[in-house]
Amino acid sequence: MSRADIETLVAGGVLRRTMSDREAAARELVIANQHLASSQLVADVDSAGALVLAYDAARKAIAAHMRANGLRVGAGEGGYAKLARYGVAAFGDSAAGEHFRMFDRVRRVRNSVQYDAFAVEDADVAFARGQAEAIVAAVEADLS
């Protein structure tokens, strides 16, 4: 974890300090894993839903890591983009760093699905799920 990068995000208002809550973080990780399983189950009948579930799994895992470390997204617009910045700051130098960098790409595809009726391909779902699985695993390993 790059403490300097995280401190820069706090100083810039991207993140704010709060009480650490490892129990809530653990519950969020359970939900993240449920979303991963659900994404797999619905992929054949609802590719857009499968992609959104994979994205939400990764998002919840990153939020769980923040919660466990006493951080939350700062006020203002772009909360999920700020969450993505935290993921890169916290894990960018790790073996899973590339998956955290790709989370923002998945976020943009998810936004296109949600707001622009983007047609989701099987490859999009597989990519999103691959990133999410790696992110959830990295957060679980770091918090264990």
Side-chain angles (χ1 to χ4, degrees):
M1 180 182 318
S2 172
R3 292 191 194 281
D5 290 342
I6 291 171
E7 291 305 319
T8 298
L9 294 174
V10 171
V14 173
L15 303 175
R16 66 180 175 85
R17 298 211 179 278
T18 188
M19 295 291 294
S20 173
D21 189 344
R22 291 186 73 83
E23 288 179 16
R27 289 191 302 270
E28 276 189 309
L29 283 173
V30 167
I31 295 168
N33 279 297
Q34 290 169 340
H35 285 345
L36 281 176
S38 296
S39 175
Q40 180 71 35
L41 287 173
V42 303
D44 289 338
V45 295
D46 182 5
S47 57
L51 185 136
V52 171
L53 282 163
Y55 166 80
D56 281 345
R59 179 181 59 78
K60 287 189 177 289
I62 297 169
H65 194 269
M66 290 175 64
R67 186 183 303 273
N69 286 287
L71 294 165
R72 292 189 63 104
V73 169
E77 293 184 29
Y80 292 163
K82 293 174 184 177
L83 188 114
R85 290 178 64 189
Y86 170 81
V88 171
F91 289 91
D93 294 337
S94 75
E98 188 61 22
H99 299 288
F100 286 87
R101 284 185 284 282
M102 290 295 106
F103 173 75
D104 197 55
R105 177 176 160 198
V106 175
R107 182 186 66 79
R108 289 190 307 271
V109 171
R110 177 260 182 203
N111 287 350
S112 294
V113 168
Q114 294 291 97
Y115 306 118
D116 300 326
F118 177 77
V120 177
E121 303 288 330
D122 290 344
D124 299 318
V125 175
F127 179 79
R129 198 166 42 245
Q131 304 315 306
E133 288 169 352
I135 288 169
V136 170
V139 170
E140 287 177 328
D142 192 64
L143 295 181
S144 65

